[in-house]
């Protein structure tokens, strides 16, 4: 028993204490969150634009050039692995860029945008058509109606799946190691190869991901309740 | 004030309006009745182009609104519309529901709009609901707010699309009361409804629509007491 406990302590020290290794995990987590947050913002902006483009129709109710472009975008992004998208962005499209966080955020943001677009499109379609009719009937333009009435309700509808998408995004950044960036997962892996001991670093990284996402889940719950204020009876 | 000529509307192969001709003068209260599927709601919704007609013309104050060059947003400002399902803006408080359009369209300042809203809310006894959200109101309260929201734009004509059909029976009276007051104040009104008592009491003309055309039109008294066409007699025997 005492032997086992001493062994655990030694492995723990090797994984987190020696050479201030715990700092590496937090630096990795910092990069993970930095890329996830920027990509999340890019994703929501692109997603909203793509959703609106996909919903455009001609007067006769037919598809427009915009809606076709949006469909192709969603098809291409959803139809290819995100690791490949990251590699293509890194080694092909922006290979001359030196801002690694920017390139990574763009790759993940463009990826996330396709999924967010479908979420927001669903959120918009879930808003009763009567809301739009009422907006137009008092003289608001279609853009004013969209911005003041439909989109706020659409975002509220879309918040739970957008939160879900952001959580997926945080974990998806674990592939950043493919382009040589030291995110949380890669840091844990590197420490494993240095200490020849996998348990502590990998479980440690998993716990850090879990705690971050748990906190985020709680925050999203609070935000959701606040947005639902107008539904209280 | 409103002239409708040979108005037609089809949804796919289904022709809902088959040539409507009508003239509405300022201050008139027109009540439209008819069986479901007769096209009465579609006719009303064509008047502010919530439905785009497939044929014919509509003039409002001498302006042809069916002309694609007409700025319909500007026309709609002077045409209020009240819907069967209220359609209050769910994300906004009652006050913001009322002031949104006047402020956004630059017709009033925020203060003017608020003052106007409070005055109108007073008319329907709902001043205390100014900060509530639509979900917190009863159906009757929502519909009175919907009327107020339209009135805030100082419309010249009000369109009512079955305003009491989605209400619990005990709430119909409070909404009809507001509509009657509005009628007495001289507002031009066009109202699709199943409330025959309201038609008899408030209408200057009653229209009977069936199968996409106006079958009969008369003063309320003649309309209900001596209906001319067989279809109307049949309809009235079922609803009265």
């Amino acid at each position: 028993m005492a032997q086992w406990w001493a062994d655990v302590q030694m492995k723990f020290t090797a994984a987190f204490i020696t050479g201030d290794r715990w700092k590496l995990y937090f630096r990795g987590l910092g990069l993970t969150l930095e890329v996830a947050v920027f990509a999340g913002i890019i994703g929501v902006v692109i997603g909203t634009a793509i959703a609106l483009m996909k919903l455009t129709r001609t007067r006769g109710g037919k598809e427009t050039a915009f809606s076709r472009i949006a469909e192709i975008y969603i098809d291409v992004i959803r139809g290819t692995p995100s690791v490949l998208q990251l590699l293509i962005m890194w080694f092909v499209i922006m290979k001359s860029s030196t801002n690694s966080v920017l390139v990574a955020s763009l790759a993940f943001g463009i990826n996330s945008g396709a999924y967010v677009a479908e979420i927001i499109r669903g959120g918009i379609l879930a808003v009763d058509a009567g809301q739009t009719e009422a907006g137009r009937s008092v003289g608001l333009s279609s853009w004013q109606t969209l911005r003041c009435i439909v989109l706020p309700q659409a975002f509220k509808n879309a918040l739970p799946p957008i939160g879900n998408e952001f959580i997926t995004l945080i974990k998806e950044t674990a592939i950043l190691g493919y382009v040589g960036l030291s995110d949380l997962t890669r840091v844990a892996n590197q420490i494993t190869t240095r200490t020849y001991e996998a348990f502590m670093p990998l479980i440690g990284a998993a716990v850090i991901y879990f705690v971050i996402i748990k906190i985020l889940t709680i925050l999203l719950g609070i935000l959701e309740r606040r947005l639902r204020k107008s539904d209280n009876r | 004030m409103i002239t409708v000529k040979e108005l037609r509307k089809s949804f796919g192969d289904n022709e809902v309006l088959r040539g409507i001709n009508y003239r509405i003068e300022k201050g008139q209260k027109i009540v439209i009745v008819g069986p479901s599927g007769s096209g009465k709601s579609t006719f009303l919704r064509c008047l502010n182009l919530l439905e785009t007609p497939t044929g014919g013309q509509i003039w409002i104050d001498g302006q042809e609104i069916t002309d694609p060059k007409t700025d319909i947003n500007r026309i709609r400002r002077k045409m209020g519309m009240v819907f069967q399902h209220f359609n209050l803006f769910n994300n906004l408080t009652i006050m913001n529901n009322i002031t949104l359009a006047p402020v956004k369209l630059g017709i009033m300042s925020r203060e003017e709009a608020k003052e106007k809203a409070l005055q109108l809310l007073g008319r329907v006894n709902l001043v205390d609901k100014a900060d509530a959200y639509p979900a917190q109101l009863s159906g009757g309260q929502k519909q009175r707010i919907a009327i107020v929201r339209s009135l805030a734009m100082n419309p010249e004509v009000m369109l009512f699309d079955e305003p009491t059909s989605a209400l619990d029976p005990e709430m119909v009276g409070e909404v009809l009361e507001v509509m009657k007051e509005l009628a007495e104040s001289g507002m031009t009104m066009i109202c699709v409804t199943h409330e025959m008592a309201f038609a008899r009491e408030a209408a200057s003309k009653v229209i009977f629509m069936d199968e996409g055309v106006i079958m009969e039109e008369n003063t309320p008294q003649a309309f209900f007491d001596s209906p001319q066409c067989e279809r109307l007699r049949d309809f009235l025997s079922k609803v009265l």
Side-chain angles (χ1 to χ4, degrees):
Chain A
M1 186 68 198
Q3 177 58 41
W4 175 81
W5 180 241
D7 192 42
V8 167
Q9 276 182 316
M10 196 193 73
K11 283 178 175 169
F12 186 88
T13 309
F16 300 110
I17 313 290
T18 311
D20 277 348
R21 282 193 179 129
W22 57 273
K23 282 184 180 165
L24 295 175
Y25 292 91
F26 280 98
R27 229 173 276 158
L29 175 65
L31 181 72
T32 292
L33 291 180
E34 205 179 338
V35 172
V37 167
F38 284 131
I41 294 167
I42 295 169
V44 169
V45 172
I46 291 181
T48 308
I50 293 292
L52 292 176
M53 280 171 66
K54 193 170 173 185
L55 287 169
T56 53
R57 287 291 176 271
T58 62
R59 264 173 178 261
K62 296 213 173 60
E63 294 208 321
T64 63
F66 286 124
S67 65
R68 287 269 162 73
I69 293 169
E71 265 166 41
I72 292 169
Y73 173 84
I74 292 168
D75 271 356
V76 169
I77 295 296
R78 287 204 298 203
T80 53
S82 45
V83 180
L84 269 182
Q85 291 166 16
L86 176 65
L87 291 172
I88 291 168
M89 184 61 88
W90 193 271
F91 293 112
V92 182
I93 299 173
M94 299 194 69
K95 63 178 173 198
S96 56
S97 170
T98 52
N99 190 337
S100 52
V101 171
L102 173 80
V103 178
S105 304
L106 262 179
F108 282 107
I110 288 171
N111 176 275
S112 185
Y115 296 92
V116 172
E118 289 296 80
I119 292 170
I120 290 184
R121 190 172 67 94
I124 291 173
L125 291 176
V127 176
D128 187 66
Q131 297 285 307
T132 305
E133 291 185 351
R136 301 307 305 276
S137 80
V138 286
L140 296 174
S141 68
S142 54
W143 172 245
Q144 286 169 323
T145 306
L146 191 68
R147 197 166 48 87
C148 302
I149 298 157
V150 177
L151 277 184
Q153 296 183 53
F155 277 120
K156 191 170 72 175
N157 294 337
L159 188 67
I162 285 181
N164 196 34
E165 169 60 26
F166 187 58
I167 286 168
T168 305
L169 182 58
I170 291 177
K171 290 178 296 181
E172 202 148 89
T173 58
I175 60 173
L176 278 171
Y178 272 87
V179 293
L181 291 184
S182 294
D183 73 303
L184 180 54
T185 300
R186 183 156 187 253
V187 165
N189 206 15
Q190 283 172 328
I191 291 172
T192 300
T193 52
R194 204 164 307 162
T195 60
Y196 305 109
E197 205 286 306
F199 181 85
M200 284 293 173
L202 296 187
I203 296 294
V207 168
I208 296 173
Y209 276 111
F210 178 84
V211 169
I212 292 295
I213 285 167
K214 188 72 202 169
I215 293 170
L216 186 65
T217 306
I218 293 168
L219 291 178
L220 281 167
I222 294 171
L223 181 61
E224 210 176 303
R225 271 195 297 281
R226 192 170 293 176
L227 286 178
R228 294 249 160 242
K229 202 176 64 180
S230 63
D231 295 346
N232 292 342
R233 277 151 212 277
Chain B
M1 178 179 193
I2 301 175
T3 308
V4 180
K5 251 190 198 161
E6 276 305 309
L7 181 65
R8 286 174 185 276
K9 172 68 182 176
S10 305
F11 295 102
D13 294 335
N14 181 20
E15 193 170 37
V16 181
L17 297 180
R18 305 163 189 252
I20 305 255
N21 293 288
Y22 204 69
R23 234 186 115 80
I24 297 160
E25 302 299 337
K26 199 169 170 51
Q28 274 190 318
K29 293 95 184 76
I30 308 296
V31 171
I32 306 171
V33 301
S36 71
S38 59
K40 49 196 193 310
S41 279
T42 306
F43 173 43
L44 194 74
R45 290 162 58 84
C46 279
L47 291 178
N48 67 351
L49 295 197
L50 282 185
E51 303 290 353
T52 313
T54 30
Q57 284 123 17
I58 301 168
W59 282 271
I60 291 173
D61 285 339
Q63 203 173 359
E64 191 196 335
I65 64 164
T66 36
D67 181 347
K69 289 195 285 284
T70 306
D71 179 5
I72 187 60
N73 294 332
R74 204 157 261 285
I75 303 285
R76 284 183 181 137
R77 291 181 190 184
K78 48 184 186 181
M79 305 179 77
M81 178 136 190
V82 176
F83 299 86
Q84 180 176 358
H85 295 288
F86 329 126
N87 297 347
L88 293 182
F89 306 135
N90 294 324
N91 57 321
L92 301 178
T93 62
I94 297 309
M95 179 53 84
N96 288 335
N97 260 273
I98 302 168
T99 57
L100 176 70
V103 174
K104 276 274 167 226
L105 297 173
I107 294 167
M108 297 175 202
S109 72
R110 187 160 286 283
E111 283 65 40
E112 285 169 335
K114 270 190 169 173
E115 201 174 308
K116 171 103 184 160
L118 285 173
Q119 175 212 330
L120 287 166
L121 283 172
R123 255 168 81 180
V124 295
N125 291 323
L126 287 172
V127 176
D128 55 325
K129 299 293 183 191
D131 296 322
Y133 282 93
Q136 297 164 317
L137 304 186
S138 72
Q141 290 172 331
K142 281 186 211 175
Q143 198 61 302
R144 278 141 70 197
I145 298 294
I147 294 172
V148 164
R149 178 178 64 183
S150 291
L151 291 178
M153 292 291 292
N154 291 320
E156 291 169 25
V157 52
M158 288 281 289
L159 310 176
F160 293 86
D161 188 4
E162 302 201 26
T164 57
S165 298
L167 294 175
D168 289 336
E170 77 269 25
M171 292 172 183
V172 171
E174 62 192 66
V175 171
L176 288 180
E177 206 50 51
V178 174
M179 290 170 62
K180 275 180 211 159
E181 271 175 41
L182 196 57
E184 280 159 22
S185 76
M187 175 68 73
T188 311
M189 291 164 66
I190 307 165
C191 180
V192 173
T193 187
H194 299 293
E195 295 294 328
M196 297 301 154
F198 174 77
R200 197 184 270 276
E201 205 177 317
S204 31
K205 287 280 170 62
V206 187
I207 290 176
F208 175 64
M209 275 185 73
D210 197 15
E211 295 183 347
V213 293
I214 295 178
M215 289 263 189
E216 188 158 340
E217 182 247 17
N218 222 326
T219 60
Q221 193 169 10
F223 186 90
F224 288 107
D225 295 345
S226 51
Q228 300 298 308
C229 75
E230 182 56 40
R231 300 292 284 271
L232 175 55
R233 278 198 288 273
D234 184 46
F235 175 73
L236 288 178
S237 74
K238 282 176 188 152
V239 298
L240 287 181

